[in-house]
Amino acid sequence: MTKIKLCGLFQKCDIEAANELKPEYIGFVFAKKSTRYVSPEKAVRLKQLLALDIKAVGVFVNEAPQTIATLFRDGIIDIAQLHGGESENYIEQLRQLTEKPILKAFRIKTASDMQHVEKCSADYILLDSGAGTGTAFDWKLIRNINRPYFLAGGLSPDNVADAVARLHPFAVDVSSGIETDGVKDKTKMAAFVAAVRREENL
């Protein structure tokens, strides 16, 4: 079954909606340049409201490994998503500090990008079109991938069922596709989850 990650949650009502919709993952963005940025202090309060069976993914861009390890230790996140230029050496440094799962994001623009994806030592990989651009990449580029992945980039309630049917990803990841005017829209969140679950049950 394709899992769901609702990313960029930063309000109490976002968490309440997620608790009702029951995605497998939600995402807190710790990159300060993001409009969806949450501070560690705010993330603590939001995590306390989150249902226990939903895993919190922390999204980071070239963050100090020690900072991520601290968030793991404090129980604020369950998975670290590396969305910058983090290298294999960086992943190894982080592994020396924590045994928690690591998710590495890749921007897919050409077929050659897939070579790095296959070799990555992270526990999970995420394939995206860019840094939160809200646009899809050419899905044909990943049709021969040999490992499970999170699919991101331009997904919405309108196209996610097609993505699941064609690609059968391990998980789908959405942020801007479930927003209205930069804020999470509960109706769109519900429609996205319903579209994925409906496709899985066909």
Side-chain angles (χ1 to χ4, degrees), residues 103-151:
L103 168 61
K104 179 70 181 91
F106 291 89
R107 300 178 189 181
I108 306 302
K109 296 179 180 178
T110 66
S112 61
D113 293 328
M114 295 304 297
Q115 297 176 9
H116 303 292
V117 170
E118 295 285 4
K119 296 176 182 177
C120 181
S121 65
D123 301 282
Y124 303 102
I125 56 171
L126 180 146
L127 308 180
D128 200 353
S129 57
T133 59
T135 57
F137 60 90
D138 184 357
W139 292 342
K140 293 178 183 176
L141 295 173
I142 62 173
R143 59 189 170 192
N144 295 321
I145 189 169
N146 292 316
R147 61 186 294 184
Y149 61 91
F150 284 66
L151 179 68

Side-chain angles (χ1 to χ4, degrees), residues 10 52 60-61 70 89 92 95 121-122 127 132 153 156 171 184 192:
F10 59 91
L52 294 176
F60 304 94
V61 177
T70 298
N89 183 56
E92 179 58 33
R95 287 205 188 282
S121 65
L127 308 180
S156 72
K184 290 295 179 285
F192 185 91

Side-chain angles (χ1 to χ4, degrees), residues 39-54:
S39 65
E41 295 76 21
K42 186 173 184 179
V44 169
R45 297 193 294 273
L46 294 176
K47 181 66 170 3
Q48 290 172 344
L49 300 173
L50 186 66
L52 294 176
D53 55 347
I54 301 175

Side-chain angles (χ1 to χ4, degrees), residues 137-201:
F137 60 90
D138 184 357
W139 292 342
K140 293 178 183 176
L141 295 173
I142 62 173
R143 59 189 170 192
N144 295 321
I145 189 169
N146 292 316
R147 61 186 294 184
Y149 61 91
F150 284 66
L151 179 68
L155 295 179
S156 72
D158 297 325
N159 67 3
V160 70
D162 182 46
V164 171
R166 290 172 55 186
L167 301 172
H168 307 289
F170 171 76
V172 287
D173 186 335
V174 64
S175 186
S176 61
I178 50 172
E179 293 178 347
T180 298
D181 298 326
V183 177
K184 290 295 179 285
D185 183 320
K186 185 177 178 181
T187 300
K188 292 181 179 179
M189 293 169 75
F192 185 91
V193 171
V196 176
R197 302 299 190 220
R198 187 167 54 247
E199 181 60 37
E200 284 294 316
N201 290 326

